[in-house]
Amino acid sequence: MNKVILLKELHLKYFKGIKDLSIYFGKTTDIYGENASGKSTIFDSFTYNLFEKDSRDRKEFSIKTFDSKGIVIPGVDHIVELVISVNGEDIKLKKIYKEKWTKKRGEAHKTLTGHNTLYYINDLPVQKKDYSDYINSIVEENVFKLLTNPLYFNSILGWKERRDILLTVVGDLSDKQVIDSNDKLSILTKLLGNTSVEDYKKKLWITKKKLNEELLSLPYRLDEINNSLKHISIMNFQELESRNLVLNKEIEEVDNELGQLNKEFSSLNENIKYIFSKKERMRDIEAEHLEKARQAKGKLQQQLFQLEQELSGNEFHIKLGNESINNMDLTLKKLKDKLIDLRSLWFDLDNKNIEFNENDFICPTCGRELPEKNLEDKKAEIEENFIKDKKNKMDSISNEGKNLAEDIKVLEVKIEKENLQINSLKESSLSLEEKVKVTKNLYDNFIFEEFVETSEYKTLKEEINALNEIQEKPNENLINKLKTKRSEKIAELEKLKDLMREKNQYEKAHIRIEELKAREKELGNIIADLEGKELLCEEFIRSKVDLLEERINTKFSKVKFKLFNSLINGSIEECCFTLVEGIPYEDANNAAKFNAGMDIINTLTNHYRINAPVFIDNRESINDLIESESQIINLRVSKDSVLVVDKADDYEKDINKNYEEIKGEAIESCEFNKIIADNTSNEKSNSIGPGF
């Protein structure tokens, strides 16, 4: 059984161009009026009350009423009140948009500072969230828009949203159902495994993309290799190998000559090593002398650093102490000021006398004066309470004052102690400053003592001189010539090795060229296989398209839907186009668009199991409208300068006939009448002004 939602009453005050209007709706209600007479405002007020949006789904729109000069009418409440029926139960929903006026200091008049919205359900005030939750419990906003506006599905929703709704109506197809419907797709079962066709297609696309990128890069890589081999191909590698053998033999001969000279001068080398060790010891003695001088200066530097650190620490603690004393002085002053205030308060209380109030002698029950015999007792009671209260307050002040005096005493001791500590630090700092001055002077004027040769140093010097006199000088000229010759041969040999390495590069490059050509052929075969699998996936999609379109289109009488487009390359892309008797929805006339919308609403009404009021704008342009079990509100353009409303009142009989059986209630018979703004007459034809 469907949930049946009916709009029974609408009451507006100062909503957009309408100042005061009440409408009572039937199963079918026709509202007549010329352009700009307020017909669309009725639809806007309905959606505003429920969702705070206008009929075009806009949140930002003005609901205020303007006067004849185009100025907003100030100080009025903007009210939209609905009475809807949900499964036969009437619900009153009301919103009041109020201006907030505030008088600021120094200004003579109030100014508009904001707005508040009040929410009511069945005349009970509620919070905005509770109001929205209540509406949502009746029907979700998106579903409601689909069921009340014939143009919403095709004109406002995007194609993806339309497609999702249609798939929800008919239910999606599993991959297995599609594969079973087409024998060509049987191989897909093995290929897919536990993967969906969509994921499998994405995987194919990613793999193919990577392989195509690699395939496109191969010609460039081959060109790079061939270009790098151009200068290598003209070399004579046999001549290079012959020259390599000659150079190695010549280097070996030079090495033999140098080895012979090394043997001859081995004893000479021993003497040189001995002299070198003696010189090393002499340098050590000089370094030891220099190190002692450096240590002495370093000790002075360390002493200076320690003194400066200690002096800096004293200055830091003196600064902290002064800050602490300043803070304690401020606190002490506050405590003393407070103590003075307490004393003043205590004396004020002490000097305070009792004062009687005439109201104290009036009976709180009857409001008359107390009898004479009770006056003295009442005065005595008041005096006793006054004295007791006064004493309690004075005792409290005394106790607080004693505590303050004790706190002041403790604080004064702390201040004295801090001052003594600061004075001690200042005396220490004076002494440290003098020590720093003396130590810095010694460090800055430090003089390194001149090195004096020790007995050991003199002995070493004499031994070195004696050895230098007896040793023979080597034939350095011959050795240098041999070393130069060897270096030249080795340099030439290295160049040959570099050229020989290019031979290996040449051979490896040719191997790599053959590998890349083989890879190019392999990639072509793999990509061809992947493209075959992609064609299989596209065949799957085509089959699924045919099945889905068939299932969806059987749900509608006037419209058909096209869910996929065939592209030039043979592939397909998703879409969602509405066709009205074979004509694209965008190209259809106004009547066809509304009938298409009503066809969709009828199907969605059955799917969501909800009947809701349907607003038909420009109804005069539609000769025949598809029948619907939902309540219909027709907005018709006429020559009437004021709104005219006709209603058929049999909606409870026609739409809620299931509830008629459940409730067993009698439904009122049909009547056809026109509604006027103050609802005081049920004559056959009346006019309603928009209140401009």
Side-chain angles (χ1 to χ4, degrees):
M1 189 189 311
N2 285 6
K3 178 187 287 186
V4 180
I5 302 171
L6 303 170
L7 174 59
K8 299 184 73 174
E9 299 176 23
L10 172 66
H11 306 283
L12 304 179
K13 285 188 181 294
Y14 291 102
F15 183 83
K16 297 182 71 173
I18 297 178
K19 291 183 179 178
D20 192 358
L21 173 66
S22 294
I23 299 177
Y24 295 82
F25 295 85
K27 176 187 175 183
T28 302
T29 302
D30 294 301
I31 301 175
Y32 299 85
E34 63 183 10
N35 290 327
S37 59
K39 300 186 300 300
S40 297
T41 299
I42 293 170
F43 194 6
D44 289 340
S45 67
F46 181 59
T47 55
Y48 168 75
N49 180 281
L50 297 176
F51 307 113
E52 293 193 358
K53 297 178 181 178
D54 68 1
S55 57
R56 287 182 285 176
D57 207 34
R58 299 179 305 175
K59 266 195 170 184
E60 302 298 328
F61 73 102
S62 175
I63 69 171
K64 291 196 171 186
T65 305
F66 295 80
D67 62 17
S68 58
K69 295 180 180 179
I71 300 173
V72 172
I73 300 175
V76 298
D77 293 341
H78 309 276
I79 303 173
V80 177
E81 181 179 328
L82 304 178
V83 177
I84 63 172
S85 170
V86 180
N87 290 343
E89 178 184 353
D90 285 355
I91 300 166
K92 186 186 289 185
L93 302 169
K94 182 164 69 173
K95 279 185 184 177
I96 303 177
Y97 188 67
K98 298 179 70 70
E99 294 178 345
K100 184 178 179 182
W101 293 81
T102 306
K103 184 178 179 297
K104 297 180 181 179
R105 183 180 297 178
E107 294 182 358
H109 303 287
K110 292 183 178 180
T111 56
L112 181 63
T113 56
H115 297 83
N116 291 325
T117 303
L118 305 180
Y119 303 84
Y120 297 87
I121 301 175
N122 292 328
D123 294 324
L124 295 176
V126 296
Q127 298 296 319
K128 177 181 179 179
K129 183 180 184 304
D130 296 331
Y131 190 89
S132 300
D133 290 345
Y134 186 80
I135 300 296
N136 197 55
S137 69
I138 298 172
V139 58
E140 292 182 9
E141 180 179 350
N142 291 334
V143 173
F144 187 81
K145 293 171 185 174
L146 287 168
L147 301 180
T148 58
N149 185 352
L151 303 181
Y152 186 81
F153 182 86
N154 286 303
S155 299
I156 296 177
L157 293 181
W159 73 266
K160 289 185 178 180
E161 294 171 298
R162 296 198 296 269
R163 189 175 185 277
D164 289 342
I165 291 171
L166 293 174
L167 292 178
T168 302
V169 171
V170 301
D172 203 356
L173 292 169
S174 69
D175 290 350
K176 186 176 185 306
Q177 288 175 301
V178 180
I179 292 171
D180 291 343
S181 71
N182 188 338
D183 293 338
K184 296 178 182 178
L185 303 176
S186 58
I187 191 174
L188 266 180
T189 303
K190 183 178 179 181
L191 293 173
L192 293 176
N194 295 325
T195 307
S196 67
V197 171
E198 185 177 353
D199 290 341
Y200 182 69
K201 190 178 179 183
K202 287 179 182 177
K203 185 179 178 182
L204 288 175
W205 183 85
I206 292 170
T207 305
K208 183 182 170 184
K209 182 174 180 289
K210 290 180 179 178
L211 293 176
N212 273 321
E213 288 173 355
E214 184 183 353
L215 185 62
L216 289 172
S217 70
L218 290 180
Y220 298 103
R221 293 159 70 182
L222 286 168
D223 286 344
E224 287 177 2
I225 296 172
N226 286 321
N227 289 334
S228 68
L229 296 179
K230 287 180 179 178
H231 73 284
I232 299 177
S233 60
I234 61 174
M235 291 184 182
N236 190 331
F237 291 110
Q238 289 183 349
E239 290 182 1
L240 293 176
E241 289 175 356
S242 299
R243 181 59 183 160
N244 181 52
L245 294 173
V246 171
L247 283 172
N248 279 314
K249 187 175 181 181
E250 290 176 351
I251 292 170
E252 184 180 356
E253 291 174 354
V254 172
D255 286 339
N256 290 334
E257 289 185 47
L258 285 172
Q260 186 61 33
L261 286 173
N262 286 334
K263 289 179 181 179
E264 294 176 359
F265 296 123
S266 60
S267 60
L268 180 61
N269 288 336
E270 290 299 325
N271 286 339
I272 291 171
K273 290 179 182 178
Y274 184 73
I275 292 171
F276 180 78
S277 65
K278 297 298 180 183
K279 288 182 178 180
E280 279 289 310
R281 178 54 189 154
M282 289 172 69
R283 282 193 289 271
D284 289 342
I285 293 171
E286 292 172 356
E288 289 169 3
H289 170 76
L290 184 60
E291 181 60 26
K292 287 179 182 179
R294 286 177 179 165
Q295 288 178 357
K297 187 173 183 180
K299 187 175 181 181
L300 283 174
Q301 186 181 23
Q302 181 66 23
Q303 289 174 356
L304 180 60
F305 176 76
Q306 290 174 352
L307 289 170
E308 288 174 341
Q309 288 290 102
E310 190 175 350
L311 180 60
S312 177
N314 280 0
E315 291 172 350
F316 176 74
H317 286 98
I318 288 170
K319 181 181 178 183
L320 288 180
N322 285 329
E323 289 175 356
S324 176
I325 288 172
N326 289 337
N327 291 334
M328 287 190 289
D329 283 342
L330 289 173
T331 305
L332 183 61
K333 184 179 182 306
K334 290 179 182 178
L335 292 176
K336 287 181 177 180
D337 290 344
K338 189 173 181 182
L339 187 60
I340 292 170
D341 292 341
L342 287 174
R343 285 173 181 162
S344 175
L345 182 59
W346 190 91
F347 283 114
D348 289 344
L349 283 172
D350 188 43
N351 293 328
K352 186 176 181 181
N353 296 317
I354 191 169
E355 294 179 0
F356 293 102
N357 190 330
E358 292 181 0
N359 293 329
D360 294 338
F361 303 104
I362 301 298
C363 178
T365 304
C366 63
R368 299 177 182 177
E369 291 185 2
L370 293 173
E372 189 68 29
K373 62 181 180 179
N374 294 334
L375 285 176
E376 292 302 322
D377 293 340
K378 185 63 177 179
K379 285 183 179 180
E381 179 187 346
I382 293 172
E383 286 178 355
E384 182 182 353
N385 289 338
F386 173 78
I387 293 169
K388 184 178 180 181
D389 182 61
K390 178 178 178 180
K391 183 179 182 304
N392 288 338
K393 289 180 178 178
M394 291 174 69
D395 289 345
S396 175
I397 291 171
S398 296
N399 290 332
E400 187 177 355
K402 289 176 183 178
N403 291 334
L404 276 176
E406 184 63 30
D407 291 343
I408 289 169
K409 185 177 178 181
V410 170
L411 196 57
E412 287 174 340
V413 170
K414 286 183 178 179
I415 291 171
E416 180 62 27
K417 186 177 178 180
E418 192 68 37
N419 276 322
L420 290 173
Q421 189 172 357
I422 288 173
N423 290 336
S424 175
L425 287 170
K426 286 180 178 179
E427 291 176 2
S428 174
S429 294
L430 290 174
S431 175
L432 286 171
E433 286 174 355
E434 184 60 31
K435 290 180 181 179
V436 167
K437 184 178 179 181
V438 172
T439 306
K440 191 172 186 309
N441 185 54
L442 290 173
Y443 179 78
D444 292 341
N445 297 301
F446 185 85
I447 299 174
F448 287 91
E449 293 182 5
E450 187 177 349
F451 175 68
V452 178
E453 294 182 356
T454 63
S455 58
E456 181 186 1
Y457 189 89
K458 291 177 180 177
T459 302
L460 290 170
K461 195 174 181 182
E462 291 172 357
E463 290 180 359
I464 290 171
N465 290 334
L467 287 170
N468 283 332
E469 288 179 0
I470 62 172
Q471 78 173 2
E472 297 179 4
K473 292 184 178 181
N475 191 345
E476 294 180 0
N477 188 35
L478 178 58
I479 293 174
N480 290 333
K481 284 183 179 180
L482 288 172
K483 286 182 177 180
T484 300
K485 182 178 179 181
R486 186 179 190 277
S487 298
E488 291 172 351
K489 299 296 181 182
I490 288 176
E492 186 180 352
L493 182 62
E494 289 300 322
K495 288 180 181 179
L496 281 176
K497 287 180 179 179
D498 289 338
L499 294 174
M500 293 298 291
R501 276 193 287 269
E502 290 185 352
K503 176 188 176 184
N504 295 331
Q505 179 185 348
Y506 180 82
E507 293 171 348
K508 290 178 180 179
H510 276 283
I511 293 172
R512 183 58 180 157
I513 287 171
E514 294 303 319
E515 290 174 350
L516 290 175
K517 287 180 179 179
R519 179 58 177 166
E520 189 174 27
K521 184 177 180 181
E522 180 186 8
L523 288 173
N525 293 332
I526 295 173
I527 291 171
D529 181 62
L530 291 174
E531 288 174 344
K533 293 175 180 177
E534 282 184 327
L535 290 173
L536 199 60
C537 290
E538 289 174 2
E539 179 66 25
F540 171 90
I541 294 172
R542 288 190 188 90
S543 298
K544 185 174 183 178
V545 168
D546 294 339
L547 291 172
L548 280 175
E549 287 185 350
E550 182 181 354
R551 289 175 65 174
I552 289 170
N553 290 329
T554 56
K555 297 282 185 179
F556 302 89
S557 60
K558 288 282 185 184
V559 299
K560 303 297 178 186
F561 294 95
K562 185 178 182 182
L563 300 184
F564 295 88
N565 260 340
S566 295
L567 302 179
I568 296 174
N569 61 6
S571 62
I572 59 175
E573 66 176 2
E574 294 181 349
C575 64
C576 185
F577 294 126
T578 306
L579 301 175
V580 186
E581 296 182 350
I583 300 172
Y585 177 85
E586 293 78 10
D587 299 331
N589 60 39
N590 193 55
K593 288 181 178 179
F594 271 99
N595 274 312
M598 290 303 300
D599 188 17
I600 293 168
I601 285 177
N602 287 341
T603 299
L604 295 180
T605 293
N606 293 330
H607 172 69
Y608 292 114
R609 304 187 67 80
I610 297 173
N611 289 84
V614 182
F615 283 78
I616 311 292
D617 203 1
N618 296 316
R619 178 65 175 84
E620 74 286 346
S621 66
I622 308 169
N623 292 328
D624 297 314
L625 187 69
I626 286 182
E627 292 185 0
S628 173
E629 300 213 355
S630 297
Q631 181 185 19
I632 303 297
I633 299 168
N634 296 312
L635 305 177
R636 299 176 180 268
V637 177
S638 68
K639 294 182 179 180
D640 299 289
S641 60
V642 293
L643 293 181
V644 176
V645 180
D646 289 342
K647 73 169 184 175
D649 220 11
D650 202 18
Y651 57 84
E652 290 190 356
K653 180 178 179 182
D654 291 345
I655 300 179
N656 287 333
K657 55 188 177 183
N658 293 322
Y659 289 93
E660 184 179 77
E661 297 174 0
I662 295 171
K663 295 182 179 180
E665 297 178 354
I667 305 300
E668 295 180 1
S669 61
C670 292
E671 66 173 354
F672 186 81
N673 53 52
K674 295 180 180 178
I675 312 301
I676 61 174
D678 56 6
N679 306 310
T680 58
S681 174
N682 288 326
E683 297 177 1
K684 187 174 182 181
S685 178
N686 292 292
S687 298
I688 299 176
F692 290 109

